[in-house]
Amino acid sequence: QVQLVESGGGSVQAGGFLRLSCLASGNADCMGWFRHAPGKERERVADIGSDGSTTYAESVKGRFTISKDSANNTLYLQMNSPTPEDTAMYYCAAGSPPPGHRCDVTPRIFGYWGQGTQVTVSS
């Protein structure tokens, strides 16, 4: 079983930066960040595999960076140059893909979720 706790959310101005953290009590093959804004569908922001491979939503490529620190079981999302469109509840998730599949095969592989941390970006 994996327990996830997000932190680091808050209010920031467009063009600023912040870093979200996710403390995990266990390990999984895939870790990811998702977000859900009112009136929008849940969106996968970024995934990272056990081998360090990453995938990003097109909307955040070049601005956000997903990383992990295995020593302290912490997942990070560095958010640079955020815009109001990035405003959402951000969730940390963990799971394992079927053999031979990448972490972005389907969100259904993420069986563990954190409680979420709110990110609000003002203009």
Side-chain angles (χ1 to χ4, degrees), residues 1-118:
Q1 188 175 45
V2 179
Q3 293 186 1
L4 308 168
V5 180
E6 303 96 333
S7 62
S11 298
V12 300
Q13 292 189 3
F17 63 90
L18 74 165
R19 186 176 72 167
L20 307 183
S21 299
C22 173
L23 179 63
S25 64
N27 297 113
D29 294 331
C30 298
M31 300 288 289
W33 288 99
F34 292 75
R35 65 186 182 186
H36 193 188
K40 299 181 180 179
E41 296 184 356
R42 186 183 64 182
E43 176 185 26
R44 174 174 24 228
V45 177
D47 296 330
I48 185 167
S50 59
D51 62 353
S53 61
T54 59
T55 58
Y56 293 91
E58 287 295 327
S59 60
V60 307
K61 282 185 177 179
R63 299 188 298 119
F64 294 4
T65 302
I66 187 171
S67 63
K68 61 182 179 181
D69 185 344
S70 298
N72 58 14
N73 296 320
T74 303
L75 179 74
Y76 301 100
L77 182 68
Q78 180 68 40
M79 303 173 63
N80 295 333
S81 301
T83 72
E85 287 70 35
D86 295 315
T87 295
M89 183 73 75
Y90 283 71
Y91 298 90
C92 175
S96 297
H101 290 262
R102 304 194 310 178
C103 294
D104 62 351
V105 59
T106 172
R108 294 188 180 92
I109 71 169
F110 293 96
Y112 302 97
W113 296 80
Q115 83 289 347
T117 184
Q118 178 68 38

